[in-house]
Amino acid sequence: MTKHIFVTGGVVSSLGKGLTSASIGLLLERRGLNIRMQKLDPYINVDPGTMSPYQHGEVYVLDDGSETDLDLGHYERFTDSPLSRGSNYTTGQIYQSVISKERRGEYLGKTVQVVPHVTDEIKQCVRKLAGPDVDIVITELGGTVGDIEGLPFLEAIRQIPLDVGKENCLFIHLTLVPYLKAARELKTKPTQHSVGQLRQIGIHPDILIVRTERPLGSDNIEKIALFCNTEKEAVIEEIDKEFSIYEVPQGLLDHGLDQLILDKLHLDAQPPQMDDWREMLQRLRNPEHEITIAVVGKYIEHRDAYKSIYESLDHAGIANSSRILIKRIEAQDIEEQDPQLLLSGVDGILVPGGFGRRGIEGKIQAIRYARQCEIPFFGICLGMQCAVIEFARNVLGLPNAHSTEFASDTDHPVICLLEEQKKITYKGGTMRLGAQPCLLSEESHAAECYEADEISERHRHRYEFNPEYKAQLEESGMVVTGSSPDGTLAEIVEISDHPWFVAVQFHPEFKSKPSMPHPLFSGFVAAALQRHQQRLQWQM
Ligand code: GLN
């Protein structure tokens, strides 16, 4: 019988519920259990694909092409649990399904209501992940207890123990105990209120994970346990980790969270196998080098907008014994200043994906600077499209070259829509999405990094490299080194006489893990490290 863990959050948002859920998943997997992970998001958008990165941070894409919440990125980086469309549901999706059923007459004339019809739909979404080979499904509920929109989800998960047995379900509530400087005290009242709200709904949390910047101390733990009707042992402190998010699982392990969960779910399991994770942390803590990578983007002040890119750079740093200092540069600032002012001294330049015209010219100038100064360059999705535009303008001598996304009437549409995308007017889920195969050319940086001739990577874009310009670009030194198997789509371009200039149409950042850094990120950081060391030698 598959068991269920539900993770809710209280007091404030941004408590790191996704990270904590991913860490729980990791600990249980390291004890030999087969888990599945899932996030329920109470907003009405069908998926985050249509939301601005300012609203929602990065949109995380899965192999099957679903556009999901960025917490699923944590799940994939921390665990091996397979993720798919069933791993992220929103209120929008739940209602879409209920309304379609109603239109098909499946409710047989009944009045369709939040309870039981919407709640039944939510329960089905949770139960779908259970199965004979699955020990535990971990379901994280987005938002904060007390939000109006979260109520149907809380009601649905309250009912699940009635369907599958109380002994098969566990409720974990993540809360905050703030430190009030003026009173010089940690305050437990918000936690008490938040648990109180859950209990009114009928959910009695079995375990409380308490985020705090200082150790709670036994007094606070006892107080929380008493007022929240929980055992002392089930109040687990989660102290802020200054250094790295990858320390969170070890912290929870040190507090015995894994064993507590197993005891409460009446499960036996092997001792935790954490050696490789600890070794990875050890390498992360003791880098031999320090290099600076400039990320030139559009949502630079919003930390979550390029979440997987920053994580992937850190992973590549682990692989290269290097601490990565990220210099976040707003592309528009480069338009107003000499690129040299902002970019001199960096060891590598990365231009990530994006949409819309703002900042495009700044990205193109940054790429020109990387090309001319032989600084390792990594372009991702829009970053690749800008690299092609830059090369066409400044090397092929086509000053008006552009993408039709930004200049529909350009004389030289080096990036454009292919026929099948031209017909689409609907915005949600209509891009080239998800895992697609790509063949690599021998003797390319890409083939060297991947050590393979065929790869699969995830996509999320509408516009493509225009094949009409391929011959011209290749003659001048920008070569296509990765293509779709039928040869029609260019997936990777490189500049042959540059130390490391690789630009890809896909999103490699969605497939990097701390324990398994992505080959292209590792190759890019290795090239940046080489440049860094050369510069140190020149200075000597
Ligand atoms: N805006 C570009 C496109 O739609 C690039 C998308 C991206 O970088 N994810 O093709």
Tab-separated table of all heavy atoms in Angstrom, residues 387-426:
chain	number	residue	atom	x	y	z
A	387	ALA	N	23.122	35.089	-30.254
A	387	ALA	CA	24.473	34.824	-30.766
A	387	ALA	C	24.443	34.747	-32.297
A	387	ALA	O	25.353	35.237	-32.978
A	387	ALA	CB	25.018	33.526	-30.174
A	388	VAL	N	23.389	34.157	-32.833
A	388	VAL	CA	23.269	34.058	-34.301
A	388	VAL	C	23.052	35.462	-34.893
A	388	VAL	O	23.671	35.844	-35.892
A	388	VAL	CB	22.111	33.091	-34.690
A	388	VAL	CG1	21.893	33.080	-36.192
A	388	VAL	CG2	22.401	31.676	-34.169
A	389	ILE	N	22.206	36.248	-34.244
A	389	ILE	CA	21.945	37.615	-34.733
A	389	ILE	C	23.258	38.418	-34.712
A	389	ILE	O	23.604	39.110	-35.680
A	389	ILE	CB	20.873	38.318	-33.861
A	389	ILE	CG1	19.540	37.574	-33.949
A	389	ILE	CG2	20.709	39.780	-34.258
A	389	ILE	CD1	18.495	38.012	-32.917
A	390	GLU	N	23.988	38.316	-33.614
A	390	GLU	CA	25.248	39.066	-33.474
A	390	GLU	C	26.215	38.693	-34.580
A	390	GLU	O	26.801	39.550	-35.244
A	390	GLU	CB	25.858	38.777	-32.090
A	390	GLU	CG	27.029	39.657	-31.696
A	390	GLU	CD	28.368	39.290	-32.336
A	390	GLU	OE1	28.693	38.086	-32.433
A	390	GLU	OE2	29.097	40.217	-32.771
A	391	PHE	N	26.352	37.403	-34.830
A	391	PHE	CA	27.312	36.938	-35.833
A	391	PHE	C	26.878	37.403	-37.239
A	391	PHE	O	27.698	37.852	-38.046
A	391	PHE	CB	27.409	35.406	-35.775
A	391	PHE	CG	28.668	34.852	-36.366
A	391	PHE	CD1	29.826	34.741	-35.607
A	391	PHE	CD2	28.710	34.434	-37.702
A	391	PHE	CE1	30.999	34.234	-36.148
A	391	PHE	CE2	29.879	33.920	-38.252
A	391	PHE	CZ	31.023	33.819	-37.468
A	392	ALA	N	25.585	37.305	-37.495
A	392	ALA	CA	25.082	37.718	-38.815
A	392	ALA	C	25.324	39.213	-39.022
A	392	ALA	O	25.771	39.652	-40.086
A	392	ALA	CB	23.602	37.394	-38.924
A	393	ARG	N	25.084	39.996	-37.980
A	393	ARG	CA	25.251	41.448	-38.124
A	393	ARG	C	26.726	41.832	-38.271
A	393	ARG	O	27.092	42.572	-39.173
A	393	ARG	CB	24.721	42.167	-36.873
A	393	ARG	CG	23.231	42.224	-36.805
A	393	ARG	CD	22.861	43.093	-35.618
A	393	ARG	NE	21.445	43.022	-35.330
A	393	ARG	CZ	20.888	43.620	-34.294
A	393	ARG	NH1	21.615	44.309	-33.450
A	393	ARG	NH2	19.594	43.537	-34.098
A	394	ASN	N	27.550	41.317	-37.370
A	394	ASN	CA	28.908	41.847	-37.266
A	394	ASN	C	29.963	41.049	-38.012
A	394	ASN	O	31.045	41.563	-38.256
A	394	ASN	CB	29.295	41.982	-35.784
A	394	ASN	CG	28.328	42.904	-35.054
A	394	ASN	OD1	27.948	43.950	-35.604
A	394	ASN	ND2	27.900	42.520	-33.875
A	395	VAL	N	29.666	39.805	-38.360
A	395	VAL	CA	30.655	39.045	-39.130
A	395	VAL	C	30.188	38.900	-40.586
A	395	VAL	O	30.938	39.173	-41.519
A	395	VAL	CB	30.939	37.659	-38.495
A	395	VAL	CG1	31.987	36.904	-39.302
A	395	VAL	CG2	31.418	37.832	-37.049
A	396	LEU	N	28.922	38.526	-40.764
A	396	LEU	CA	28.423	38.421	-42.152
A	396	LEU	C	28.159	39.794	-42.759
A	396	LEU	O	27.977	39.913	-43.968
A	396	LEU	CB	27.121	37.611	-42.208
A	396	LEU	CG	27.141	36.155	-41.740
A	396	LEU	CD1	25.853	35.452	-42.165
A	396	LEU	CD2	28.328	35.406	-42.300
A	397	GLY	N	28.089	40.824	-41.930
A	397	GLY	CA	27.840	42.175	-42.445
A	397	GLY	C	26.396	42.368	-42.881
A	397	GLY	O	26.121	42.973	-43.924
A	398	LEU	N	25.461	41.848	-42.091
A	398	LEU	CA	24.035	42.060	-42.368
A	398	LEU	C	23.460	42.893	-41.216
A	398	LEU	O	22.933	42.343	-40.243
A	398	LEU	CB	23.292	40.713	-42.443
A	398	LEU	CG	23.878	39.636	-43.370
A	398	LEU	CD1	23.148	38.297	-43.185
A	398	LEU	CD2	23.798	40.098	-44.817
A	399	PRO	N	23.605	44.209	-41.271
A	399	PRO	CA	23.323	45.040	-40.095
A	399	PRO	C	21.895	44.933	-39.568
A	399	PRO	O	21.655	45.179	-38.391
A	399	PRO	CB	23.639	46.463	-40.562
A	399	PRO	CG	23.722	46.398	-42.044
A	399	PRO	CD	24.040	44.989	-42.430
A	400	ASN	N	20.951	44.579	-40.452
A	400	ASN	CA	19.561	44.506	-39.968
A	400	ASN	C	19.143	43.103	-39.542
A	400	ASN	O	17.963	42.861	-39.291
A	400	ASN	CB	18.590	44.975	-41.057
A	400	ASN	CG	18.861	46.408	-41.438
A	400	ASN	OD1	19.264	47.200	-40.584
A	400	ASN	ND2	18.695	46.730	-42.712
A	401	ALA	N	20.098	42.181	-39.509
A	401	ALA	CA	19.719	40.807	-39.142
A	401	ALA	C	19.017	40.817	-37.783
A	401	ALA	O	19.417	41.545	-36.864
A	401	ALA	CB	20.966	39.931	-39.085
A	402	HIS	N	17.947	40.037	-37.661
A	402	HIS	CA	17.205	40.008	-36.407
A	402	HIS	C	16.366	38.737	-36.323
A	402	HIS	O	16.341	37.939	-37.263
A	402	HIS	CB	16.296	41.247	-36.287
A	402	HIS	CG	16.325	41.841	-34.907
A	402	HIS	ND1	16.275	41.084	-33.771
A	402	HIS	CD2	16.390	43.139	-34.480
A	402	HIS	CE1	16.322	41.866	-32.697
A	402	HIS	NE2	16.400	43.125	-33.103
A	403	SER	N	15.677	38.619	-35.198
A	403	SER	CA	14.682	37.554	-35.059
A	403	SER	C	13.341	38.182	-35.374
A	403	SER	O	13.085	39.327	-34.974
A	403	SER	CB	14.697	37.044	-33.621
A	403	SER	OG	13.489	36.360	-33.342
A	404	THR	N	12.471	37.448	-36.039
A	404	THR	CA	11.155	38.031	-36.360
A	404	THR	C	10.310	38.200	-35.088
A	404	THR	O	9.279	38.850	-35.114
A	404	THR	CB	10.407	37.166	-37.394
A	404	THR	OG1	10.356	35.822	-36.907
A	404	THR	CG2	11.090	37.203	-38.748
A	405	GLU	N	10.779	37.647	-33.975
A	405	GLU	CA	10.091	37.909	-32.694
A	405	GLU	C	10.192	39.399	-32.346
A	405	GLU	O	9.297	39.964	-31.733
A	405	GLU	CB	10.723	37.059	-31.565
A	405	GLU	CG	10.076	37.291	-30.198
A	405	GLU	CD	10.643	36.407	-29.077
A	405	GLU	OE1	11.586	35.629	-29.312
A	405	GLU	OE2	10.119	36.512	-27.949
A	406	PHE	N	11.294	40.031	-32.761
A	406	PHE	CA	11.529	41.426	-32.358
A	406	PHE	C	11.415	42.404	-33.520
A	406	PHE	O	11.241	43.594	-33.306
A	406	PHE	CB	12.915	41.546	-31.708
A	406	PHE	CG	13.157	40.470	-30.689
A	406	PHE	CD1	14.184	39.552	-30.835
A	406	PHE	CD2	12.308	40.349	-29.599
A	406	PHE	CE1	14.374	38.534	-29.913
A	406	PHE	CE2	12.492	39.333	-28.673
A	406	PHE	CZ	13.521	38.420	-28.827
A	407	ALA	N	11.597	41.913	-34.756
A	407	ALA	CA	11.494	42.792	-35.936
A	407	ALA	C	10.864	41.967	-37.049
A	407	ALA	O	11.555	41.289	-37.800
A	407	ALA	CB	12.888	43.281	-36.335
A	408	SER	N	9.527	42.031	-37.114
A	408	SER	CA	8.828	41.125	-38.042
A	408	SER	C	9.172	41.435	-39.498
A	408	SER	O	9.066	40.571	-40.361
A	408	SER	CB	7.324	41.195	-37.808
A	408	SER	OG	6.931	42.541	-37.802
A	409	ASP	N	9.612	42.683	-39.776
A	409	ASP	CA	9.872	43.041	-41.171
A	409	ASP	C	11.370	43.095	-41.504
A	409	ASP	O	11.781	43.710	-42.477
A	409	ASP	CB	9.231	44.396	-41.477
A	409	ASP	CG	9.706	45.452	-40.489
A	409	ASP	OD1	10.409	45.083	-39.505
A	409	ASP	OD2	9.379	46.641	-40.684
A	410	THR	N	12.209	42.452	-40.699
A	410	THR	CA	13.650	42.505	-40.957
A	410	THR	C	14.010	41.931	-42.341
A	410	THR	O	13.379	40.981	-42.798
A	410	THR	CB	14.431	41.745	-39.850
A	410	THR	OG1	15.790	41.646	-40.230
A	410	THR	CG2	13.908	40.342	-39.640
A	411	ASP	N	15.062	42.513	-42.968
A	411	ASP	CA	15.523	41.988	-44.269
A	411	ASP	C	16.170	40.629	-44.094
A	411	ASP	O	16.245	39.838	-45.022
A	411	ASP	CB	16.640	42.883	-44.868
A	411	ASP	CG	16.236	44.313	-44.947
A	411	ASP	OD1	15.015	44.543	-44.996
A	411	ASP	OD2	17.132	45.189	-44.939
A	412	HIS	N	16.735	40.413	-42.909
A	412	HIS	CA	17.477	39.169	-42.691
A	412	HIS	C	16.989	38.443	-41.440
A	412	HIS	O	17.569	38.562	-40.366
A	412	HIS	CB	18.982	39.468	-42.594
A	412	HIS	CG	19.533	39.911	-43.906
A	412	HIS	ND1	19.642	39.069	-44.992
A	412	HIS	CD2	19.958	41.126	-44.322
A	412	HIS	CE1	20.124	39.737	-46.017
A	412	HIS	NE2	20.321	40.996	-45.645
A	413	PRO	N	15.898	37.680	-41.621
A	413	PRO	CA	15.330	36.964	-40.457
A	413	PRO	C	16.157	35.708	-40.137
A	413	PRO	O	15.766	34.597	-40.459
A	413	PRO	CB	13.919	36.600	-40.933
A	413	PRO	CG	14.040	36.521	-42.422
A	413	PRO	CD	15.139	37.430	-42.857
A	414	VAL	N	17.280	35.901	-39.461
A	414	VAL	CA	18.142	34.741	-39.179
A	414	VAL	C	17.506	33.812	-38.140
A	414	VAL	O	17.844	32.633	-38.059
A	414	VAL	CB	19.572	35.172	-38.737
A	414	VAL	CG1	20.354	35.732	-39.901
A	414	VAL	CG2	19.523	36.157	-37.576
A	415	ILE	N	16.580	34.374	-37.346
A	415	ILE	CA	15.779	33.563	-36.421
A	415	ILE	C	14.325	33.852	-36.777
A	415	ILE	O	13.930	35.019	-36.905
A	415	ILE	CB	16.032	33.975	-34.946
A	415	ILE	CG1	17.522	33.882	-34.574
A	415	ILE	CG2	15.168	33.166	-33.980
A	415	ILE	CD1	18.126	32.489	-34.551
A	416	CYS	N	13.531	32.805	-36.970
A	416	CYS	CA	12.158	33.049	-37.426
A	416	CYS	C	11.233	31.918	-36.979
A	416	CYS	O	11.686	30.926	-36.415
A	416	CYS	CB	12.135	33.166	-38.940
A	416	CYS	SG	12.685	31.649	-39.730
A	417	LEU	N	9.934	32.098	-37.262
A	417	LEU	CA	8.966	31.044	-36.943
A	417	LEU	C	8.962	30.041	-38.085
A	417	LEU	O	9.000	30.431	-39.251
A	417	LEU	CB	7.568	31.627	-36.833
A	417	LEU	CG	7.194	32.383	-35.566
A	417	LEU	CD1	5.729	32.800	-35.650
A	417	LEU	CD2	7.413	31.532	-34.318
A	418	LEU	N	8.891	28.767	-37.773
A	418	LEU	CA	8.715	27.772	-38.823
A	418	LEU	C	7.207	27.639	-39.089
A	418	LEU	O	6.380	28.073	-38.287
A	418	LEU	CB	9.340	26.443	-38.420
A	418	LEU	CG	10.855	26.505	-38.164
A	418	LEU	CD1	11.426	25.124	-37.915
A	418	LEU	CD2	11.626	27.186	-39.307
A	419	GLU	N	6.877	27.040	-40.244
A	419	GLU	CA	5.480	27.022	-40.707
A	419	GLU	C	4.485	26.586	-39.622
A	419	GLU	O	3.484	27.233	-39.397
A	419	GLU	CB	5.334	26.117	-41.943
A	419	GLU	CG	5.817	26.770	-43.238
A	419	GLU	CD	5.283	28.186	-43.432
A	419	GLU	OE1	4.055	28.386	-43.279
A	419	GLU	OE2	6.091	29.101	-43.735
A	420	GLU	N	4.817	25.474	-38.899
A	420	GLU	CA	3.808	24.937	-37.970
A	420	GLU	C	3.510	25.893	-36.813
A	420	GLU	O	2.410	25.908	-36.269
A	420	GLU	CB	4.178	23.538	-37.468
A	420	GLU	CG	5.521	23.391	-36.779
A	420	GLU	CD	6.669	23.080	-37.725
A	420	GLU	OE1	6.615	23.501	-38.906
A	420	GLU	OE2	7.625	22.429	-37.273
A	421	GLN	N	4.483	26.756	-36.437
A	421	GLN	CA	4.241	27.700	-35.345
A	421	GLN	C	3.432	28.914	-35.821
A	421	GLN	O	2.752	29.558	-35.034
A	421	GLN	CB	5.573	28.168	-34.746
A	421	GLN	CG	6.166	27.230	-33.705
A	421	GLN	CD	5.410	27.241	-32.379
A	421	GLN	OE1	4.633	28.142	-32.088
A	421	GLN	NE2	5.618	26.199	-31.588
A	422	LYS	N	3.500	29.198	-37.143
A	422	LYS	CA	2.842	30.416	-37.643
A	422	LYS	C	1.335	30.359	-37.453
A	422	LYS	O	0.681	31.372	-37.278
A	422	LYS	CB	3.171	30.605	-39.135
A	422	LYS	CG	4.577	31.131	-39.358
A	422	LYS	CD	4.787	31.524	-40.794
A	422	LYS	CE	6.247	31.886	-41.034
A	422	LYS	NZ	6.654	31.701	-42.420
A	423	LYS	N	0.788	29.149	-37.486
A	423	LYS	CA	-0.685	29.024	-37.431
A	423	LYS	C	-1.228	29.157	-36.007
A	423	LYS	O	-2.414	29.317	-35.806
A	423	LYS	CB	-1.088	27.634	-37.957
A	423	LYS	CG	-0.697	27.388	-39.395
A	423	LYS	CD	-1.047	25.953	-39.790
A	423	LYS	CE	0.064	25.347	-40.647
A	423	LYS	NZ	0.589	24.089	-40.198
A	424	ILE	N	-0.329	29.084	-35.013
A	424	ILE	CA	-0.817	28.984	-33.633
A	424	ILE	C	-1.135	30.356	-33.039
A	424	ILE	O	-0.330	31.274	-33.097
A	424	ILE	CB	0.247	28.268	-32.757
A	424	ILE	CG1	0.437	26.839	-33.270
A	424	ILE	CG2	-0.134	28.280	-31.293
A	424	ILE	CD1	1.595	26.101	-32.642
A	425	THR	N	-2.345	30.488	-32.472
A	425	THR	CA	-2.683	31.761	-31.836
A	425	THR	C	-2.830	31.585	-30.320
A	425	THR	O	-2.692	32.524	-29.558
A	425	THR	CB	-4.020	32.318	-32.381
A	425	THR	OG1	-4.984	31.268	-32.293
A	425	THR	CG2	-3.886	32.775	-33.814
A	426	TYR	N	-3.114	30.373	-29.885
A	426	TYR	CA	-3.317	30.053	-28.474
A	426	TYR	C	-1.973	30.133	-27.755
A	426	TYR	O	-0.969	29.634	-28.261
A	426	TYR	CB	-3.827	28.611	-28.421
A	426	TYR	CG	-4.952	28.376	-27.467
A	426	TYR	CD1	-6.147	29.083	-27.608
A	426	TYR	CD2	-4.840	27.425	-26.456
A	426	TYR	CE1	-7.194	28.842	-26.735
A	426	TYR	CE2	-5.891	27.189	-25.585
A	426	TYR	CZ	-7.062	27.904	-25.735
A	426	TYR	OH	-8.091	27.664	-24.872
